[in-house]
Amino acid sequence: MDTQRRTGEEGPVPFRSSRFFCVGSKWYFTTREGFDSGPFASKERAETGLKRFLHVVRMLPEEQQLH
């Protein structure tokens, strides 16, 4: 769990968990919206998958972006 305060945060640090999880030997990432993506062969590949996912989301028009 991440217990570090982020820039601009005030008050108690909210609960945070990793976006990455492993089932058997396969890796997945999850989004705030509850979307799980995978399987990936390694955690590094899951991290790359998440970066690609976020890149695509940022290209969406504002009203279509996931929140």
Side-chain angles (χ1 to χ4, degrees), residues 11-64:
V13 177
F15 175 80
R16 294 189 178 106
S17 61
S18 176
R19 288 186 183 243
F20 303 98
F21 61 96
C22 186
V23 177
S25 62
K26 303 296 182 181
W27 283 88
Y28 299 79
F29 70 82
T30 188
T31 68
R32 291 181 196 132
E33 297 77 26
F35 171 75
D36 295 339
S37 182
F40 297 91
S42 66
K43 185 176 182 184
E44 291 76 22
R45 295 245 178 148
E47 289 170 344
T48 299
L50 175 60
K51 288 176 187 174
R52 289 178 178 168
F53 172 81
L54 293 174
H55 176 75
V56 169
V57 168
R58 288 184 191 113
M59 291 181 356
L60 293 172
E62 187 70 30
E63 64 275 359
Q64 292 181 356

